[in-house]
Amino acid sequence: MAFRKAFQVACGIAGTAAVVVAAAASQRGGDGRVEAAAVSWSPGTGVPSVDLEQRAGGGWDSNWDKREPISLIKPNKKNKEAAEDLSTQLENYKVKATRHIFLIRHSQYDLTATTDKERILTSLGREQAELTGQRLASLGLNYDALIHSSMTRAKETATIISKYLPDLDMMSCDLLREGAPIEPVPPVSHWKPEAMQYHEDGARIEAAFRRYIHRADLKQQNDSYEIIVCHANVIRYFVCRALQFPPEGWLRMCLNNGSITWLTIRPNGRVALRTLGDTGFMPPDKLTR
């Protein structure tokens, strides 16, 4: 399956105000773990320049994932034959399938622990993961992939969910680990990471966005349904970037533990947010944030 191949991280955009995400190909080991690619992020706003331009103009960048057919080919001649050939090539480069991406926030975990290994799910957290797994299974969809952050709480959540989707192999990815994606606006007083954390985490989370959030590959013929179990900050940043909202607004959203956020990416690059942090399938006494 295409989802079992080595993961690639796309390159960034050149420019004095641009973020540069220089990433070598990530490789999945025999244990299904995806190692984080080496990425670097230049100082500045922390947002790709193309996004700043689009926000200033108030428009939609249809080539946000750099997969528009016209951007994938380079015509050599300017005549009638070349124009006809270009038309044929454009048809060949059109995406045919829709991607459905389910972003799951991990369940409640032990907040008193000091290391990732010790931050295991609470008994309530395990119940939440059971309910999330049941909900995903009840949708009756033919899921293609179950990918999770390599952090303990995300892995445990994915493991419980997988009981209800037994035909899916789990894959781990370091890029999806929790972090500080970009300094939030407006700022908050109770959470102030160091500038270095934004510098490092931001590049990694942006690389994760480019790896997972894009329209389908040309070879994909049928619609796909993928589950990604990760973290609140990562999911909120992904949503802002996918909808081309100002990414620094990510902290204005709240997500419950075990919630489901459903993104749809059409062949033409249109993105729709079908659900944001859905936990309507959980009893009120099981909700935590």
Side-chain angles (χ1 to χ4, degrees), residues 72-186:
L72 300 177
I73 57 179
K74 296 181 179 180
N76 297 320
K77 300 177 182 179
K78 295 182 179 180
N79 52 42
K80 183 177 180 181
E81 291 76 12
E84 292 175 351
D85 182 59
L86 174 61
S87 178
T88 301
Q89 290 185 66
L90 287 174
E91 285 298 319
N92 293 335
Y93 278 96
K94 281 187 177 180
V95 173
K96 303 175 181 63
T98 294
R99 293 184 68 210
H100 297 271
I101 303 170
F102 295 83
L103 300 167
I104 313 299
R105 188 190 177 193
H106 61 78
S107 300
Q108 186 191 65
Y109 66 99
D110 183 3
L111 291 170
T112 65
T114 57
T115 67
D116 175 65
K117 187 176 181 179
E118 297 170 334
R119 289 172 180 150
I120 60 176
L121 298 185
T122 63
S123 58
L124 175 56
R126 291 190 290 273
E127 288 184 66
Q128 291 170 340
E130 296 277 354
L131 291 167
T132 303
Q134 292 169 17
R135 173 58 176 167
L136 290 169
S138 73
L139 296 177
L141 301 173
N142 184 23
Y143 297 103
D144 298 274
L146 175 54
I147 304 162
H148 62 82
S149 155
S150 56
M151 299 187 86
T152 300
R153 54 191 183 271
K155 182 178 180 180
E156 288 188 332
T157 302
T159 299
I160 293 173
I161 289 174
S162 71
K163 295 192 308 181
Y164 298 92
L165 306 169
D167 296 330
L168 283 181
D169 292 332
M170 292 198 307
M171 291 175 283
S172 176
C173 181
D174 282 332
L175 292 176
L176 294 167
R177 294 173 71 87
E178 184 62 300
I182 185 175
E183 189 170 357
V185 176

Side-chain angles (χ1 to χ4, degrees), residues 42-86:
S42 64
T45 63
V47 189
S49 61
V50 63
D51 298 327
L52 294 174
E53 294 165 3
Q54 288 300 318
R55 279 162 41 203
W60 173 262
D61 177 14
S62 61
N63 196 28
W64 60 275
D65 59 352
K66 303 299 176 281
R67 295 185 181 222
E68 278 286 291
I70 194 64
S71 68
L72 300 177
I73 57 179
K74 296 181 179 180
N76 297 320
K77 300 177 182 179
K78 295 182 179 180
N79 52 42
K80 183 177 180 181
E81 291 76 12
E84 292 175 351
D85 182 59
L86 174 61

Side-chain angles (χ1 to χ4, degrees), residues 190-203:
H190 62 278
W191 187 72
K192 290 185 176 296
E194 297 293 331
M196 181 57 71
Q197 186 175 353
Y198 285 121
H199 180 78
E200 295 178 350
D201 291 351

